[in-house]
Short mmCIF file of all heavy atoms in Angstrom, two decimals:
data_model
loop_
_atom_site.label_atom_id
_atom_site.label_comp_id
_atom_site.label_asym_id
_atom_site.label_seq_id
_atom_site.Cartn_x
_atom_site.Cartn_y
_atom_site.Cartn_z
N GLY A 1 147.38 114.86 141.90
CA GLY A 1 147.99 116.16 141.96
C GLY A 1 148.55 116.62 140.48
O GLY A 1 148.31 115.95 139.53
N LYS A 2 149.16 117.89 140.53
CA LYS A 2 149.67 118.45 139.18
C LYS A 2 151.16 118.60 139.38
O LYS A 2 151.68 119.11 140.36
CB LYS A 2 149.03 119.73 139.07
CG LYS A 2 147.43 119.72 139.01
CD LYS A 2 146.83 121.09 138.90
CE LYS A 2 145.30 120.99 138.82
NZ LYS A 2 144.75 122.32 138.83
N ILE A 3 151.74 118.46 138.23
CA ILE A 3 153.19 118.79 137.99
C ILE A 3 153.31 119.76 136.89
O ILE A 3 152.79 119.72 135.83
CB ILE A 3 154.12 117.65 137.68
CG1 ILE A 3 154.11 116.62 138.79
CG2 ILE A 3 155.54 118.09 137.39
CD1 ILE A 3 154.90 115.28 138.52
N ILE A 4 153.70 121.06 137.35
CA ILE A 4 153.85 122.14 136.37
C ILE A 4 155.31 122.13 135.74
O ILE A 4 156.16 122.43 136.41
CB ILE A 4 153.57 123.57 137.01
CG1 ILE A 4 152.28 123.38 137.87
CG2 ILE A 4 153.44 124.53 135.90
CD1 ILE A 4 151.15 122.86 137.18
N VAL A 5 155.34 121.90 134.54
CA VAL A 5 156.59 121.92 133.89
C VAL A 5 157.04 123.25 133.30
O VAL A 5 156.43 123.76 132.48
CB VAL A 5 156.74 120.96 132.65
CG1 VAL A 5 158.11 120.93 132.01
CG2 VAL A 5 156.23 119.44 133.07
N PHE A 6 157.93 123.81 134.10
CA PHE A 6 158.30 125.21 133.92
C PHE A 6 159.83 125.47 133.53
O PHE A 6 160.28 126.40 133.96
CB PHE A 6 157.93 126.08 135.15
CG PHE A 6 158.03 127.52 135.01
CD1 PHE A 6 157.54 128.22 133.77
CD2 PHE A 6 158.36 128.33 136.01
CE1 PHE A 6 157.59 129.54 133.62
CE2 PHE A 6 158.39 129.75 135.81
CZ PHE A 6 158.06 130.29 134.72
N SER A 7 160.43 124.43 132.89
CA SER A 7 161.86 124.50 132.60
C SER A 7 162.03 123.42 131.51
O SER A 7 161.47 122.47 131.43
CB SER A 7 162.68 124.31 133.74
OG SER A 7 162.52 123.06 134.25
N SER A 8 163.26 123.73 130.71
CA SER A 8 163.62 122.59 129.65
C SER A 8 164.72 121.80 130.47
O SER A 8 165.17 122.33 131.47
CB SER A 8 164.16 123.33 128.46
OG SER A 8 165.34 124.14 128.77
N ILE A 9 164.92 120.68 130.14
CA ILE A 9 166.05 119.84 130.61
C ILE A 9 167.03 119.46 129.51
O ILE A 9 166.85 119.77 128.47
CB ILE A 9 165.39 118.50 131.15
CG1 ILE A 9 164.67 117.63 130.26
CG2 ILE A 9 164.56 118.94 132.43
CD1 ILE A 9 164.15 116.37 130.84
N GLU A 10 167.99 118.78 130.03
CA GLU A 10 169.16 118.59 129.17
C GLU A 10 169.12 117.40 128.23
O GLU A 10 169.91 117.12 127.37
CB GLU A 10 170.51 118.47 130.07
CG GLU A 10 170.62 117.11 130.72
CD GLU A 10 169.74 116.98 132.11
OE1 GLU A 10 168.93 117.97 132.30
OE2 GLU A 10 170.03 116.14 132.88
N ASN A 11 167.97 116.65 128.35
CA ASN A 11 167.77 115.45 127.48
C ASN A 11 166.25 115.22 127.16
O ASN A 11 165.50 116.17 127.48
CB ASN A 11 168.38 114.22 128.15
CG ASN A 11 167.83 113.96 129.49
OD1 ASN A 11 166.70 114.20 129.84
ND2 ASN A 11 168.77 113.65 130.41
N ASP A 12 165.96 114.12 126.65
CA ASP A 12 164.44 113.85 126.21
C ASP A 12 163.76 112.98 127.22
O ASP A 12 162.62 112.53 126.88
CB ASP A 12 164.44 113.27 124.88
CG ASP A 12 164.91 114.17 123.77
OD1 ASP A 12 164.57 115.38 123.93
OD2 ASP A 12 165.43 113.72 122.67
N GLU A 13 164.26 112.87 128.36
CA GLU A 13 163.61 112.13 129.38
C GLU A 13 162.25 112.78 129.72
O GLU A 13 162.12 113.90 129.67
CB GLU A 13 164.43 111.96 130.61
CG GLU A 13 165.61 111.02 130.44
CD GLU A 13 166.36 110.72 131.79
OE1 GLU A 13 165.70 110.68 132.84
OE2 GLU A 13 167.54 110.40 131.68
N GLY A 14 161.20 111.90 130.19
CA GLY A 14 159.94 112.44 130.45
C GLY A 14 159.30 111.57 131.55
O GLY A 14 159.82 110.90 132.37
N TYR A 15 158.02 111.90 131.73
CA TYR A 15 157.04 111.19 132.65
C TYR A 15 156.58 109.98 132.07
O TYR A 15 156.00 109.96 130.97
CB TYR A 15 155.98 112.21 133.08
CG TYR A 15 156.58 113.49 133.74
CD1 TYR A 15 156.97 114.53 132.98
CD2 TYR A 15 156.73 113.57 135.14
CE1 TYR A 15 157.43 115.71 133.56
CE2 TYR A 15 157.35 114.65 135.63
CZ TYR A 15 157.64 115.69 134.82
OH TYR A 15 158.16 116.90 135.39
N LYS A 16 156.56 108.87 132.79
CA LYS A 16 156.12 107.59 132.27
C LYS A 16 154.58 107.55 132.35
O LYS A 16 153.88 108.04 133.26
CB LYS A 16 156.62 106.52 133.24
CG LYS A 16 158.09 106.32 133.21
CD LYS A 16 158.55 105.18 134.09
CE LYS A 16 160.00 104.96 133.99
NZ LYS A 16 160.62 103.99 134.97
N ASN A 17 154.01 106.93 131.29
CA ASN A 17 152.62 106.89 131.07
C ASN A 17 151.83 106.40 132.26
O ASN A 17 150.90 106.95 132.67
CB ASN A 17 152.29 106.20 129.83
CG ASN A 17 150.74 106.16 129.37
OD1 ASN A 17 150.37 107.05 128.80
ND2 ASN A 17 150.07 105.03 129.91
N ASN A 18 152.39 105.24 132.73
CA ASN A 18 151.58 104.54 133.84
C ASN A 18 151.63 105.30 135.09
O ASN A 18 150.65 105.16 135.93
CB ASN A 18 152.08 103.06 133.91
CG ASN A 18 151.62 102.25 132.88
OD1 ASN A 18 150.94 102.64 131.93
ND2 ASN A 18 152.03 100.93 132.90
N ASP A 19 152.69 106.09 135.36
CA ASP A 19 152.68 106.87 136.53
C ASP A 19 151.52 107.89 136.45
O ASP A 19 150.83 108.23 137.49
CB ASP A 19 154.06 107.71 136.62
CG ASP A 19 155.21 106.72 137.15
OD1 ASP A 19 154.82 105.80 137.99
OD2 ASP A 19 156.29 106.90 136.80
N ILE A 20 151.43 108.45 135.31
CA ILE A 20 150.45 109.40 135.11
C ILE A 20 148.99 108.86 135.18
O ILE A 20 148.04 109.35 135.82
CB ILE A 20 150.60 110.24 133.78
CG1 ILE A 20 151.93 110.91 133.72
CG2 ILE A 20 149.52 111.28 133.46
CD1 ILE A 20 152.38 111.53 132.36
N TYR A 21 148.85 107.71 134.48
CA TYR A 21 147.58 107.07 134.39
C TYR A 21 147.00 106.57 135.68
O TYR A 21 145.92 106.96 136.12
CB TYR A 21 147.63 105.92 133.30
CG TYR A 21 146.33 105.15 133.22
CD1 TYR A 21 145.23 105.68 132.64
CD2 TYR A 21 146.30 103.74 133.59
CE1 TYR A 21 144.07 104.91 132.55
CE2 TYR A 21 145.20 103.04 133.50
CZ TYR A 21 144.05 103.60 132.86
OH TYR A 21 142.90 103.04 132.89
N TYR A 22 147.75 105.70 136.39
CA TYR A 22 147.18 105.08 137.60
C TYR A 22 147.04 106.07 138.76
O TYR A 22 146.32 105.87 139.55
CB TYR A 22 148.10 103.87 138.07
CG TYR A 22 147.94 102.71 137.01
CD1 TYR A 22 148.91 102.29 136.14
CD2 TYR A 22 146.72 101.91 137.06
CE1 TYR A 22 148.76 101.30 135.34
CE2 TYR A 22 146.53 100.89 136.14
CZ TYR A 22 147.56 100.43 135.41
OH TYR A 22 147.44 99.34 134.52
N ARG A 23 147.83 107.02 138.65
CA ARG A 23 147.84 108.04 139.80
C ARG A 23 146.89 109.30 139.40
O ARG A 23 146.78 110.21 140.22
CB ARG A 23 149.19 108.46 140.31
CG ARG A 23 150.13 107.33 140.78
CD ARG A 23 151.44 107.82 141.11
NE ARG A 23 151.33 108.79 142.10
CZ ARG A 23 152.43 109.65 142.53
NH1 ARG A 23 153.63 109.45 141.79
NH2 ARG A 23 152.35 110.55 143.52
N GLU A 24 146.49 109.33 138.22
CA GLU A 24 145.63 110.45 137.67
C GLU A 24 146.33 111.81 137.98
O GLU A 24 145.75 112.71 138.48
CB GLU A 24 144.12 110.47 138.36
CG GLU A 24 143.36 109.34 137.93
CD GLU A 24 141.85 109.46 138.33
OE1 GLU A 24 141.57 110.38 139.18
OE2 GLU A 24 141.11 108.73 137.69
N LEU A 25 147.56 111.83 137.63
CA LEU A 25 148.31 112.95 137.65
C LEU A 25 148.08 113.96 136.46
O LEU A 25 147.67 113.45 135.34
CB LEU A 25 149.86 112.77 137.71
CG LEU A 25 150.29 111.94 138.89
CD1 LEU A 25 151.84 111.57 138.82
CD2 LEU A 25 149.95 112.51 140.17
N SER A 26 148.20 115.25 136.65
CA SER A 26 148.24 116.16 135.52
C SER A 26 149.62 116.80 135.29
O SER A 26 150.15 117.35 136.26
CB SER A 26 147.23 117.34 135.87
OG SER A 26 145.83 116.83 136.05
#
């Protein structure tokens, strides 16, 4: 599936590489 990032957040946290890679997320 897809996650559409449509807001800023209060820190620099993000999406983990392996979550994206193994699940083929966009």
